[in-house]
Structure formats: C-alpha cells, structure tokens
C-alpha cells in the first residue's frame, strides 16, 4: 500500500514539474510579448475603463438605495481618482499569461496532490526530511503566489515562481530523495506539524517578496527604465509597497517559527536555545528581515537598499535550507541524507 | 510623534540643509553621540552587523554546543585554531565582540523606547488634533454637497457616532473659516494600539535579553548516566557532570530521587528502508520527591519529566553489560553493569572496566560490545554490530594488569583507561588473544589472573537535569514579542476628519484621512466612512 502511494506521489510530482516547466515557458512567452510593441496602451485604457465602470455601478446601486429613503439630492465629486485598487502600469493580462496561470494552477494541484499522497504513504505530515520539506515548501510558495492573485495581479512574477519551483522540485526529487521511513523519536512531536509548516509558510512569503524586490531593482535602475517590458509592470514604489506587505507577513511567521522552535527544543533537547547551526541561521534571517523592516523606516534606506535586504534575506533562507542542512554539523540533522 | 522618533526616521521632518552648527562642548558631544547611537541608521547598521557577526559561529564548532568538535578542530588545524581561539570564535556568542554589538544595539533600542513610551503615554491622553483647514490635500479626500443648510450639527454628531463605533477617538470642532463661513467638524484618530504594540515588541525583546542574561545564572544543568535498576539522587555528588549558573547555591537542589525501572527501545521491523531505525524510547521511572512520596512516571525524547521545579530529559541510551570478574584467588572482585558508550547507529559500543580490588594485581579491561554481532560468514573476521537490538550480544575485551592509578584519589575518567603504565596480558599486543564472550560465557584469564563472566545485559539512559527558573519568563516575553509584532505591524494608525462647510447653496461634507505609519487601507477606509455617512444623511453618491 505504502509503495503504491509513494509511486503515485512521485508520478504526480514529476507531472507537476513538467507542468510547471510548461507554465514557465508560457510565462516567459508572455514577458517576451510584453516587450514587443503592441496594443498595450489601448488595452490598459480598456482595463481602467472596465474597473471604473464596475466601481461606479456599485456606487450607483448603493446611492439609489439610499435616495429612496430620503428626498434630498447630492452629488459626490471625487477629487482623487480611484487609484487605490488599480496598480499603476498594470494592464489586463494577455491570453498567454492567463494560459500560464491555468497551467500553474493545474501543476499546483498535481504538486499538492503528490505531497498529500506522500504524507498518506508515510502516515504523517509530509515534511519530516529534506525531500518532503522541499515538496511542501515549494507547494506553499506556489499556493501563496496563487492566493495573492486575488489581492494583486502579480502574473509578471509567474516566470520567477514557476521557474524556481520547477528547478527546486527537480533538485529535490533527484538529489534529496529518501524512502518513506518512520519518524525518529526526536521528531515525534506536535511541534513538527506547527514549527515546520509555519517556517515554510514564511518561506513562501519571503520568496514572493524577494521576487517583487528583484523587479523593483530593475524598475528603479536608470538604464532599464525605458524598457517596454518594465512599463507593463507596476512602478518601483508600488512594487516596494507590495514586497513590504508580503515580507512583513513572512516576518511574523518567521518570528513564530523561532519561538515555536525554541519551545520544541526545550522539550526535545533540554534547552530552548543553544546556538545550534540551524538556530544561528534562523536568527540571522530574522535579523536581516528585522533590518529590512527598519530600513523602510529609515531615511535614505527606502527603495533599492531595502530591496537588496529582502533579496539577501531570502538568499539566506535558501542557504539555510540547502547548504546548512547538507554541510553544517548540528542537531537539526533530519535531512535523511 | 515626530519629535519622539529618531531624526532620521522616515516620518520625522527632513533635516534642513546647511545649518552652521555651534561648537560642541563635552555635554554637546555626549548628546551628539547619544543621538547618533539612537538613530535609525545606527540601529539598522547594528542589526545587520549582528546578523553578520553570527555567521562565524555556525562555521566553526562552538564550545557551548559542540565541545568535542572544538577539541577535534584544534587538533586538526592547530595554527588556525590559535588565531580563532584568540578571537574567541569558538565562543562566538559570548565573545566580547558579539556581546558588544548586541549590547550597543540594546542600548540604542532602550534609548529609542524610553522617549517614545513617554510620548505615547502623552498622546494617549491627548484628544485628536484640530481639523486641518484644507482637507483636499489629504488622503482619500471625498466631498458631497447637500442642498439643505439645516442640521449640520446633527450630521456631524452622526459622523462622530459612526467613527466612535469604528474605534476612533473623536473630538468636535466648531470654527469659523477665514471667509466667515461656519465649519463644523469631527476630528478622529484610531490605532493607538499600533504604537503600543510597537513598544511592547521592543520592550519584550529587552525583556528576553535580560531574562536570558540574568536567568541563566540562577539555574543549573547536569548529566547522569543511570543503569536500569539504579537510582539517581539530586545532590551535587549524584551527578556525572554539573554546570551551575553564576548565582547557583546548593540549597536550590531538591534531594529527590529518580529510579530507572526499565528502558524500552523499539526498532523498526517491517519497513526494510528503515530496518533497525529507532521508533520509540521510553524510560519507566519511579520518583521520590521529599514530602510528596513515591510516584511512577515515564520519560520520552519529547516528553521530559517535570520534577520539583526541574526537568529530566532523555538525551541518550545504550547498553551496560553486566560483568563479573573473579581474581586469581576465585573471589568476586567486580560484579556490576558497566555502561558502554555507543559509537554508531547499530550501537557498537566501547567501554572500560577497572578492577582495583583484584589480587594479586589490579586489572583493567577495555573493549567493544556488539548488541547484534554480524556473523563472520557475512561480515568477515572484523567484528561489527548490524542491529541496535539484542540479537546476538557479544563482548570483546583486552586485559591489562598494573597500577590503575585510582589509589591517589585524583579524579579519573571512568570511560577511559590510561594504559601507559599497564601491561597487556590479553589482546593484540600480548601472548594470549583478546577475550570474546557471548552472553553467559565465562573466560579464564591467562597466567591464573582469574576469570571474566559476561553475566547479563542491561540498558542505561543518559539523563540531563535542567533547572531554569526564568525559562517561563523568556516564554512570556517571547509571546509578548509576537503579540507586539502583530499589533505593531497590522493595526493601522490613522486620522480621519469629517467636516461640514456651509456653502451658499447648502452644506458641503468633506472626508479625508492621514496615515501615521504604514497604512495601505487608508483610502478605502475613508471611502467607506464617506459612503456610510452620506448614506445616513440620505445623500446621493455618484462617482
């Protein structure tokens, strides 16, 4: 039974990988099309008009309701445009972007299915070794990416997200794969479910924040700011604001991970903090992102400098997950490798 | 608020350029350095420096977490180790340089918290400020005209009610504009909890540092190896190793006993990918706390035993073969279980037996224990263990005679045998080969020195006993850190104004807001208030 589930899980993961790769190609195609001279301004205007009319319809509806209750009339004049919800520079997404999104959703369903199957096969949460953690963390990165679409159109990050996830899944399946084995006594704790899951949630938000920060750096760079591709994406300030909001959520999750980890370490290892290599790196990452949040509140540090900190922070997360897991000696030696 | 923040905070007014500064006196310099230390830029710099300074401690083994690693490192790289040791890299997190970075950071932090707390307490008692003359410049400005001039008072009161219901603190203003028209307005502010959260977050961080710094001094931790059937008593002499905190005194130790009745290990049997992997360790104990009487309990890896204000953790386990040594005269000179230290996952273990009471000469034995010895058909002549469970327990020993050096009363390592002054009588360098015993075997020693019997196998556990009275405070402060972070980051602090301006044709209602700190939702919040309020007034809204 276990072996059947493991096989199904692997088939799903490989299919997800292929689907992500396909989505990556289509996303890249979309990016290429954006840089071609096209009917971008027209469609942007159309999109703006579309949003505007929807908003006014809503307003009229509520206004007519209220006007029935009393006889007086009034005109509401808006001095500022309805800029709050429309991202400057954003436009209606192309056919390619929508196709790529559909592929990503499909890949994510396969990916999540494969991860759940792996958990069923092992009869526990699917994040007890490096391979499983890779599956879950990347599924969460894509999950966060898809979820965030309801809030902001971040399809321009699609190539970054799907490319990264396809690559990482490939590395994990080829290099980190281990068979399903039972949990060693040290991992038999409810904290495994909470601590590790929240850590990967944090990773998902940091990943997107870093992606936005990378685009922000391109946007604010003098040389490239006349490129047609970049003119289809939000401006540097908007990107920075969005990145900040994502990173801040990631930071809260990371803080929780740190505290939950300390509580678990107290029960499992007899001390809540002992400067174990993984603890050190979790602390370093926390400090970098604390620095990022402060940088945004420091004159002269807003903009590109804080964007660099978000990117360095996410690089430290990746370093912590790969290099520290594989090559550093410490108590968190659960990679199974 | 601006004044309480560091001058380079993004919400503080921009510095004016080109001011001729007066010459600074001593106090002036002091103030200058204080302002530098408590500036955002310095705090940021120190934060990033702290992150950077933590890196070496993860590259080089630390005395605190991996003392054997340090010894090994020094042996392997003696030259580099000398420099690293001088730079305190083996003790990174208690080094002078690491400590000075975080202490400076915390001084800077406290220098920031105090004025901001004062200012916040003040602002909590201060009603919202006067409504600005021109709202049109502010965020989310919306206005709506009403053709009735009557009852602006009632309209503004209803706006006040609306805002109060949404958690705003409100204040009414009734003023005359420059052109003589009457301006009735409500000024509202909310989200004081944001700054409270911010201050709680930072103060709780100081709390964590202080409790960790001071708290460690009151605690102690120690380790004891206990064989099944034996007991540990919580007194200083009961420990194998003991690390008291700075402020530790003996009377903190409650003299309870923990008797290890049984240790059970469960190993994977079915899954061939994990065959022999441990899946459960359980210690059954009987505890006796003075004044409370006996009780039975269990200790598992993730379930320490909480006893009399301290915790007992299961950190290791292994085998303790019971060995009986009879001397040349046939008297039992030694008979007890001896903990052998595990060397690998299959519990190949090494151990030492010292028999100072043997006659005519003292005996020293050292060797290996294999819980499941690999059969020679499979593994060849080199002995090894292939399973951690007791399938074919085998003991190999080399025997020495001579002075064991125990009579001088100096402390010696129970797990090591110094063979410098001893003569090997059985083993690789002796005429007779080393001893090989299966469970229950008795082997005669050469030269009529006596015999060795492998009587029985017991298990031992290695318990760590920790006592840290301030641990709970670290947890409380950590929870405050998280709570402060959540409120400090996600509760928006904003001001909103609703103003009724008399116009020749009636009344114009104006709505606007001001963000104080990050507030992505401000515009829609103002829009929402404008909509609700004009709905209440029955005014028609259109875009």
């Amino acid at each position: 039974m276990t072996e059947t589930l493991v096989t199904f899980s692997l088939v799903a993961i490989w299919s997800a990988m292929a689907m992500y790769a396909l989505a990556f190609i289509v996303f890249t195609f979309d990016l290429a099309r954006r840089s071609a001279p096209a009917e971008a301004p027209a469609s942007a205007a159309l999109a703006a008009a579309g949003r505007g009319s929807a908003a006014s319809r809503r307003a009229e509806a509520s206004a007519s309701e209220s006007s029935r209750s009393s006889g007086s009339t009034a005109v509401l004049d808006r001095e500022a445009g309805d800029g709050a919800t429309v991202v400057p520079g954003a436009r209606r997404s192309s056919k390619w972007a929508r196709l790529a999104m559909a592929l990503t959703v499909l890949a994510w369903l396969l990916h999540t299915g494969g991860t759940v199957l792996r958990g069923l096969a092992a009869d526990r949460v699917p994040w007890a070794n490096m391979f499983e953690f890779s599956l879950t963390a990347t599924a969460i990165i894509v999950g966060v990416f898809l979820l965030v679409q309801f809030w902001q159109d971040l399809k321009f990050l699609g190539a970054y997200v799907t490319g990264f996830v396809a690559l990482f899944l490939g590395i994990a399946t080829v290099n980190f794969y281990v068979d399903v084995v039972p949990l060693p006594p040290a991992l038999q704790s409810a904290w495994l479910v909470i601590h590790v899951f929240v850590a990967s949630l944090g990773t998902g938000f940091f990943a997107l924040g870093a992606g936005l920060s990378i685009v922000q750096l391109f946007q604010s760079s003098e040389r490239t700011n006349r490129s047609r591709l970049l003119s289809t994406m939000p401006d540097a300030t908007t990107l920075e604001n969005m990145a900040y909001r994502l990173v801040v959520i990631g930071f809260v999750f990371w803080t929780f991970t740190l505290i939950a980890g300390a509580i678990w370490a107290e029960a499992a290892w007899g001390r809540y903090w002992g400067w174990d290599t993984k603890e050190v790196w979790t602390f370093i990452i926390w400090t970098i992102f604390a620095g990022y949040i402060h940088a945004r509140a420091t004159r002269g540090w807003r903009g590109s400098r804080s964007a660099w900190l978000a990117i360095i922070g996410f690089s430290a997360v990746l370093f912590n997950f790969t290099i520290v897991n594989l090559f550093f000696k410490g108590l968190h030696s659960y990679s199974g490798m | 608020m601006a004044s309480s923040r560091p001058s380079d905070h993004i919400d503080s007014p921009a510095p004016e350029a080109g001011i001729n500064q007066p010459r600074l006196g001593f106090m002036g310099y002091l103030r200058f350095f204080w302002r530098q230390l408590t500036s955002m830029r310095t705090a940021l710099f120190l934060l990033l420096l702290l992150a950077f300074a933590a890196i070496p401690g993860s590259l080089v083994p630390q005395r605190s977490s991996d003392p054997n690693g340090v010894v090994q490192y020094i042996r392997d790289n003696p030259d580099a180790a000398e420099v690293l040791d001088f730079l305190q890299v083996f003790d990174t997190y208690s080094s002078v340089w690491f400590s000075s970075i975080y202490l400076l950071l915390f001084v800077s932090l406290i220098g920031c918290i105090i004025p901001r707390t004062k200012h916040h307490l003040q602002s909590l008692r201060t009603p919202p400020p006067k409504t600005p003359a021109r709202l049109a410049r502010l965020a989310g400005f919306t206005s709506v005209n009403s053709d009735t001039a009557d009852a602006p008072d009632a309209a503004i009161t209803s706006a006040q009610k609306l805002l109060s219901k949404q958690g705003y603190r409100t204040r009414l203003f009734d003023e005359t504009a420059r052109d003589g028209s009457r301006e009735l307005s409500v000024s509202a502010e909310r989200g004081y909890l944001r700054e409270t959260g911010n201050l709680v977050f930072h103060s709780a961080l100081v709390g964590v540092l202080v409790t960790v710094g001071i708290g460690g001094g009151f605690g102690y931790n120690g380790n004891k190896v206990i064989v099944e059937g034996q007991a540990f008593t919580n007194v200083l002499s009961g420990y194998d190793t003991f690390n008291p905190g700075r402020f530790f005194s003996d009377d903190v130790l409650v003299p309870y006993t923990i008797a290890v009745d049984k240790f059970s290990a469960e190993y994977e049997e079915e899954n061939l990918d994990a065959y022999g992997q441990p899946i459960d360790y359980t210690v059954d104990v009987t505890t006796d706390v003075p004044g409370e009487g006996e009780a039975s309990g269990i200790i598992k890896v993730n379930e320490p035993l909480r006893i009399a204000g301290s915790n007992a953790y299961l950190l290791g386990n292994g085998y303790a073969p019971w060995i009986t040594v009879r001397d040349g005269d046939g008297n039992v000179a030694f008979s007890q279980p001896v903990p052998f230290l595990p060397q690998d996952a299959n519990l190949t273990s090494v151990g030492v037996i010292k028999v100072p009471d043997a006659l005519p000469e003292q005996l020293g034995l050292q060797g290996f224990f294999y819980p499941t010895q690999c059969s020679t058909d499979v593994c060849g002549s080199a002995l090894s263990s292939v399973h951690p469970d007791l399938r074919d327990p085998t003991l190999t020993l080399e025997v020495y005679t001579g002075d064991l050096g125990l009579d001088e009363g100096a402390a010696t390592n129970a797990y090591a045998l110094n063979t410098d002054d001893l003569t090997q009588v059985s083993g690789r360098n002796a005429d007779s080969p080393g001893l090989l015993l299966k469970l229950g075997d008795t082997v005669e020693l050469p030269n009529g020195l006596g015999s060795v019997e492998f009587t029985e196998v017991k298990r031992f556990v290695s318990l760590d006993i920790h006592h840290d009275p301030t641990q709970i405070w670290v947890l409380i402060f950590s929870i405050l850190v998280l709570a402060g972070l959540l409120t400090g980051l996600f509760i928006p602090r904003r001001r909103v104004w609703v103003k009724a301006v008399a116009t020749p044709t009636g009344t114009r209602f104006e709505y606007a807001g001001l963000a104080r700190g990050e507030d992505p939702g401000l515009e829609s919040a103002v829009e929402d208030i404008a909509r609700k309020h004009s709905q209440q007034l029955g005014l028609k809204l259109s875009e």
Side-chain angles (χ1 to χ4, degrees), chain B residues 41-61:
Chain B
R41 213 172 290 122
T42 309
L44 179 57
F45 173 72
L46 287 171
L47 258 177
L48 297 179
L49 193 63
L50 188 67
F52 193 70
I55 296 176
S58 71
L59 302 174
V60 174

Side-chain angles (χ1 to χ4, degrees), chain B residues 80-162:
Chain B
E82 205 172 314
V83 179
L84 292 175
D85 205 16
F86 176 75
L87 294 174
Q88 302 176 311
V89 180
F90 296 119
D91 308 282
T92 297
Y93 306 105
S94 53
S95 68
V96 173
W97 44 276
F98 191 78
S99 310
S100 46
I101 296 170
Y102 73 72
L103 287 178
L104 271 178
L105 183 65
F106 275 87
V107 170
S108 162
L109 180 58
I110 291 166
C112 196
I113 294 174
I114 291 171
R116 275 179 78 162
T117 307
K118 267 196 219 157
H119 191 269
H120 186 52
L121 289 176
Q122 236 162 40
S123 78
L124 281 176
R125 288 192 301 264
T126 316
K130 204 165 147 292
T131 307
R134 270 182 290 183
L135 291 181
R137 291 177 170 180
L138 296 167
F141 178 73
T142 305
S143 70
V144 57
N145 284 313
S146 161
D147 54 5
T148 54
D150 55 304
D153 298 81
I156 288 301
T157 313
S158 82
Q160 187 187 18
K161 261 189 209 144
L162 182 71

Side-chain angles (χ1 to χ4, degrees), chain B residues 216-222 234 239 242-245 248-249 252-254 256 308-310 465-469:
Chain B
F218 289 101
Y220 62 83
N221 64 74
N234 189 32
Y239 284 95
F242 190 78
N243 304 304
F248 170 81
S249 68
V252 183
L253 293 177
V254 180
Y256 57 76
S310 61
I465 315 280
H466 287 212
H467 172 70
D468 184 353

Side-chain angles (χ1 to χ4, degrees), chain B residues 21 41 43 113-114 150 217 245 254-255 341 423 429 448 453 464 475 477 488 503 541:
Chain B
Q21 296 224 339
R41 213 172 290 122
I113 294 174
I114 291 171
D150 55 304
V254 180
L341 300 182
T423 316
N429 306 320
E453 181 188 315
D464 263 30
L475 180 64
F477 279 123
T503 59
L541 285 166

Side-chain angles (χ1 to χ4, degrees), chain B residues 213-346:
Chain B
I214 297 176
F218 289 101
Y220 62 83
N221 64 74
N223 179 274
K224 176 67 180 172
V225 166
I226 312 169
V227 179
E228 282 174 315
Q230 296 182 351
F232 154 77
T233 303
N234 189 32
V235 291
L236 265 186
S237 59
Y239 284 95
D240 293 337
T241 58
F242 190 78
N243 304 304
R246 219 168 307 150
F247 313 116
F248 170 81
S249 68
D250 279 14
D251 49 298
V252 183
L253 293 177
V254 180
Y256 57 76
T257 58
I258 300 175
V260 173
D261 302 325
K262 190 171 186 293
F263 172 81
S264 0
E266 202 180 309
Y267 300 100
E268 178 64 39
E269 300 284 333
E270 283 165 20
N271 184 345
L272 292 181
D273 295 323
Y275 192 71
Q277 187 195 296
I279 46 181
D280 185 56
Y281 295 136
T282 305
V283 194
D284 289 296
V285 295
T286 305
T287 58
D288 188 357
V289 181
E292 289 179 27
E294 284 197 2
S296 56
I298 58 162
I299 310 177
K300 280 169 170 280
V301 174
N302 266 300
E303 296 165 31
L305 177 73
R306 314 276 178 194
I307 178 169
S310 61
N311 303 317
Y313 303 89
L314 173 61
L315 288 198
N317 69 77
Y319 287 100
W322 191 308
I323 290 159
T324 306
V325 179
R326 291 185 180 81
D327 65 15
D329 300 341
N331 302 317
V332 172
F334 183 95
S335 181
Q336 66 184 62
V338 182
F340 273 48
L341 300 182
Q343 304 296 306
D344 62 23
N346 287 323

